[in-house]
Structure formats: C-alpha cells, structure tokens
Amino acid sequence: MSAMSDPPIPLTTLTEFHREVVAPDIERIVGASERRLRGEMHALHEASLMRSEALEMESAAIEAGLRRLEERLDSLVEHRHLASEVRRLDERLGHVEKRLDELVASHQRDALQAELQKLRARVNVVEAQVGARQKPQP
C-alpha cells in the first residue's frame, strides 16, 4: 500500500492523540528543561551572591587597610613636620649658644681687662712707694 492509499486520520483522533500523547510528552520535556534551567539559574544566583558577599568583605577589608594607611601617613607627616621643627629649633639653639659663648667670652675679656687695669694701678702705686723710699733722705 502506498501513502496515498492510507485512509485519512480524522481530526478528532489527531486531537486526542495530541492531547494524550504529544502534549504530555512535550510538557514533560519542557518541564524537565525548565527545572534544569531554574536549578542552573538558582545556582548561578547563589554563586553570584556568594561572590558579591566576598567582594563586599574584601572591599571592607581594603577600606579598613586604607584608613590605617591614611592614619600612618598622617602620623608620618606629623612626625616629619615635628622633625623639621626640632632641626630648626636645634639650629636656633646652636646660634643662641654661639652668641652666649661670645657674650661670656666678651664679659670675661672685659673682666680680665678691668682686673688688669686694677693690677696696673696697684703696680703704679707700689712703684711710687718704692720710688719714694729709694730717694735719699736729706
């Protein structure tokens, strides 16, 4: 028998076959695919959430580290500023010490000169006394 000789299948039979055999098979196949896709979507979503949480934790750790670095940098800048202030004050103190040494030396020199003048005056008095005693007496 050829294909042309097969009797036509009534529409009701095709509809019933579709409803009882094809549709449930399609629903089963689509349902299985849908469940698999939903499972994959949930897995991807959970993995994405886990990565997001890990990134948030890492971001928080980086921010805390940056805050510590900023505090250390502020401290270093402050120390550097203090160190330059100490150097500047040390230089000024050196100048003051030098000037003080000059003043002390000058004062000592002035005191020595005054003492020398007193001694010269005394020597002159002694010389005068010696000279007066050495003169022959009439």
Side-chain angles (χ1 to χ4, degrees):
M1 274 196 148
S2 72
M4 295 296 263
S5 62
D6 289 339
I9 301 173
L11 185 59
T12 55
T13 305
L14 283 175
T15 305
E16 187 178 326
F17 176 76
H18 183 278
R19 192 176 327 133
E20 291 176 8
V21 176
V22 175
D25 204 27
I26 290 174
E27 287 175 2
R28 182 185 54 78
I29 292 169
V30 169
S33 292
E34 186 179 341
R35 282 187 297 280
R36 183 182 53 81
L37 287 173
R38 281 183 192 262
E40 288 176 8
M41 283 177 33
H42 283 128
L44 288 173
H45 181 68
E46 294 219 5
S48 175
L49 285 177
M50 289 176 68
R51 276 189 242 138
S52 176
E53 288 174 1
L55 288 174
E56 286 175 9
M57 289 174 51
E58 189 172 343
S59 174
I62 289 171
E63 286 177 10
L66 283 175
R67 266 187 254 110
R68 285 192 305 272
L69 284 174
E70 287 171 346
E71 290 170 2
R72 287 181 184 169
L73 183 60
D74 289 344
S75 176
L76 286 175
V77 168
E78 186 176 318
H79 282 95
R80 187 173 289 152
H81 174 71
L82 289 175
S84 78
E85 277 296 309
V86 167
R87 280 193 295 275
R88 191 175 65 76
L89 288 173
D90 192 42
E91 288 174 9
R92 288 179 63 193
L93 182 60
H95 292 300
V96 168
E97 286 175 337
K98 182 179 176 184
R99 180 69 179 129
L100 183 61
D101 288 344
E102 290 171 357
L103 288 173
V104 166
S106 173
H107 178 68
Q108 287 175 347
R109 190 174 38 248
D110 291 345
L112 286 174
Q113 285 177 350
E115 186 69 26
L116 184 59
Q117 286 176 351
K118 286 180 189 177
L119 287 174
R120 282 187 184 151
R122 285 181 66 194
V123 167
N124 287 339
V125 169
V126 170
E127 283 179 348
Q129 287 175 350
V130 168
R133 288 195 182 176
Q134 287 182 352
K135 284 188 182 179
Q137 298 212 356

